[in-house]
Amino acid sequence: RTLAATTVAGLLLTLAGCAGKQSALDPAGRGAEQIATLFWWMLGGAVVIWCVVIGLAIYAIRIAPGPHNDQQMRLWVVGGGAVIPTIVLTVLLIYGLSMLPGLVRSAPEGSLHVDVVGLQWWWRVRYPVGDSEWVELANEIRIPVGEPVQFNLTSADVIHSFWIPSLGGKVDMIPGRQTQLTLEPTRTGRFRGACAEYCGASHALMAFDVVVMERNEFDAWLAAQQEPANEPGDPLAQRGREVFLRRGCGACHAIRGTRADGVIGPDLTHVGSRASLGAGTLLNTPEAFRQWIAHTSAAKPEVKMPNFDMISEDDLQALAAYLESLQ
Ligand code: CUA
């Protein structure tokens, strides 16, 4: 009975990988569609080989335990054990290789470019606006549906890997080098991207939110991101801004429109509008914000940002209110 329960649990866990916002088998992009198709063909090929080999084993052990003459043996071993797997694997290899040009193509001239830098353990995201200007945000990528988008990828410290399973393949981010990936989403929605290369203590806590939008919504969003931070409305948030500037948060973080212009950590100009905190680690709520600021390393081991647990509870609350108000 334990075996049956384990098998059912295993099957359910396996099926859980077939859908959701981070599944390569529930494609929402051109590349991901091809990869999912390739996966199913490879699975089919593997099942064929498995059936032949296991079938022969059962035949040899149970049905006709022998003795067999040499000619029969050669036929079964060479045919079932070598020829059939070689044919199946060769066909799959050719099929897989024929997909490569489509998967690594670059986006046509004039497509949207997004620059992403991987850092321990977050993502710096820049959208070029105008000739030599860009707007910066962190841990969230929004792109329009139905058009190819080119990602220019690099790293500021160790090797990371940029992967949005729902949209396409993954590409390494290498310090001192720029790699490229073109993704073309086929439907709108929210997805999850992750780092796919072990990069230190908090590798597992290096995710980002991906939002695929209609083109007009995307344009409106990008225009809003270019705006400086809004003025805090209520007194609590106003006090939060004072705390932010007085405590020197601006040494590492920028909030455009204030004197905080740090470039080490994530840009916080519109941090309240993001889906998560700490690169997909916590939900974006005032309570989570207080935790994050006071006990950063508890949420993300070995994170570069120090714990600000010396800040009073009142100030933390004001700080959280201010940051949440940055829509
Ligand atoms: Cu970055 Cu793993």
Side-chain angles (χ1 to χ4, degrees):
R1 197 182 288 170
T2 319
L3 184 67
T6 316
T7 311
V8 170
L11 272 175
L12 285 176
L13 269 179
T14 310
L15 284 175
C18 295
K21 60 179 186 169
Q22 192 184 336
S23 171
L25 299 182
D26 186 11
R30 289 256 177 275
E33 277 166 11
Q34 285 182 296
I35 292 168
T37 310
L38 179 62
F39 169 83
W40 290 115
W41 278 105
M42 290 193 121
L43 184 68
V47 168
V48 168
I49 294 174
W50 187 85
C51 288
V52 169
V53 172
I54 297 297
L56 282 176
I58 291 173
Y59 178 79
I61 296 165
R62 295 280 172 150
I63 301 171
H68 302 282
N69 64 41
D70 280 359
Q71 207 188 348
Q72 264 180 320
M73 287 290 283
R74 259 200 300 275
L75 182 70
W76 290 123
V77 171
V78 174
V83 175
I84 293 180
T86 305
I87 293 172
V88 172
L89 292 175
T90 307
V91 170
L92 285 176
L93 179 68
I94 293 169
Y95 177 54
L97 288 177
S98 75
M99 270 185 181
L100 265 184
L103 288 174
V104 298
R105 82 208 154 105
S106 47
E109 200 66 31
S111 315
L112 174 67
H113 281 49
V114 185
D115 298 340
V116 185
V117 183
L119 301 100
Q120 284 174 317
W121 290 276
W122 62 283
W123 313 81
R124 190 190 294 280
V125 180
R126 283 175 178 170
Y127 289 79
V129 289
D131 278 342
S132 53
E133 281 178 66
W134 30 259
V135 60
E136 180 169 324
L137 54 147
N139 305 327
E140 185 167 293
I141 288 169
R142 297 195 182 215
I143 47 177
V145 69
E147 31 183 297
V149 178
Q150 184 172 322
F151 290 91
N152 298 321
L153 309 167
T154 191
S155 164
D157 38 45
V158 301
I159 299 178
H160 303 275
S161 182
F162 179 88
W163 193 25
I164 310 170
S166 308
L167 299 189
K170 60 169 104 83
V171 168
D172 277 2
M173 310 172 99
I174 301 162
R177 201 197 281 190
Q178 196 184 68
T179 48
Q180 262 139 18
L181 174 68
T182 303
L183 295 176
E184 188 177 337
T186 49
R187 62 180 156 92
T188 58
R190 287 184 165 268
F191 307 99
R192 186 173 187 270
C195 179
E197 180 70 55
Y198 180 72
C199 56
S202 283
H203 156 69
L205 299 171
M206 184 171 170
F208 56 100
D209 297 288
V210 181
V211 187
V212 177
M213 316 168 90
E214 296 294 343
R215 182 76 210 197
N216 56 343
E217 289 171 28
F218 170 79
D219 289 339
W221 170 81
L222 191 58
Q225 290 291 316
Q226 289 173 57
E227 294 295 315
N230 46 299
E231 287 294 310
D234 65 298
L236 187 65
Q238 278 167 9
R239 223 189 80 214
R241 181 168 66 177
E242 269 165 47
V243 176
F244 187 92
L245 297 172
R246 176 160 46 83
R247 284 286 180 177
C249 304
C252 291
H253 297 283
I255 296 182
R256 280 174 277 127
T258 73
R259 64 182 154 86
D261 58 0
V263 293
I264 296 169
D267 184 298
L268 299 178
T269 307
H270 299 285
V271 68
S273 72
R274 294 176 200 153
S276 65
L277 296 182
T281 304
L282 300 170
L283 286 176
N284 192 350
T285 64
E287 173 52 32
F289 241 127
R290 292 211 300 274
Q291 270 182 21
W292 176 257
I293 296 165
H295 311 287
T296 322
S297 63
K300 185 175 275 196
E302 293 187 22
V303 66
K304 299 256 174 3
M305 175 167 154
N307 295 333
F308 282 86
D309 47 6
M310 74 299 269
I311 298 182
S312 72
E313 198 51 43
D314 283 356
D315 280 359
L316 273 179
Q317 216 170 341
L319 209 44
Y322 171 53
L323 293 168
E324 288 291 348
S325 78
L326 297 176
Q327 289 297 318

